[in-house]
Amino acid sequence: GKPSSGLARPEFFDWFAESERLIAEFKPDLVVAMLGANDVQRLTWPHLGDKIQWVEEVPWRRAYEGRYREFARFLSARVPEVVLLSPTNRGWDNARAAVTRVREVQKRAVRGLPNVHWVDMFPLSSNADGSWLRFSEAPAGAKGKRIWYRQPDRIHLTKDGGKLVGTRVMQTLSTLSLRKVRL
C-alpha cells in the first residue's frame, strides 16, 4: 500500500512500476488492488506535461477509464486472476459523489476483461439501507457503547471497521469464479 496514491498522478506514485516489482518478487496467483479513492483529482501525464482537471468531467472520465483499463490489462497479463476493489462509501455527500464517478468509470473500464473481477465496495462499506457505515449498535453486554467503524473524517475505517469490511470482502471473494485460486 501507498497512502494517498492512485492512478491519477503517476509522478507521485507509479502503480504500474510498483506492481511490476511486486509481481516479480512474489509471483502471486491473485492480485487484489483497491484504487480510486485518491483519484478524485486532476489526471497528469508526466511524460507529456499534460493535465486533465477533475472539473472537465467528460475528458476526465475518458482518460481515467483508459488508464484504469490499461492497469487492469497490465495486471491480468502478469497474474492468473485480478480483483479490483472500488473505493468505499463515505460519510460526506461531496466525497460520496466524487467516488461514485470513479466507481462508474472503473466498472465500465474492466467490463469484458478476462480474469479481471471488479468488486463494488459501496455495499460492503454501507449499512443495509445503503447509508455509510458509521457504527454498530451496542453489542450485548457492552453497556450502551457503540463500535465505531469510521474515523472522525467519515472516510477512513477504524480497526473494527476494517475487520468488518474485510470479512465482507472475503465473503464476496469466495463467491467469485476465481479459476486458479483457492481462498
Side-chain angles (χ1 to χ4, degrees), residues 4-6 8-9 38-43 52-54 60:
S4 303
S5 69
R9 306 263 316 275
N38 293 302
D39 288 336
V40 295
Q41 60 178 300
R42 72 180 181 276
L43 297 174
I52 299 173
Q53 298 300 324
W54 172 255
W60 188 95

Side-chain angles (χ1 to χ4, degrees), residues 82-111:
V82 176
V83 177
L84 298 172
L85 309 175
S86 82
T88 59
N89 198 351
R90 270 72 173 112
W92 301 104
D93 291 342
N94 288 345
R96 187 177 314 109
V99 293
T100 293
R101 181 202 295 186
V102 170
R103 289 170 46 234
E104 291 167 357
V105 173
Q106 288 178 345
K107 183 177 182 180
R108 188 175 51 249
V110 299
R111 192 173 292 140

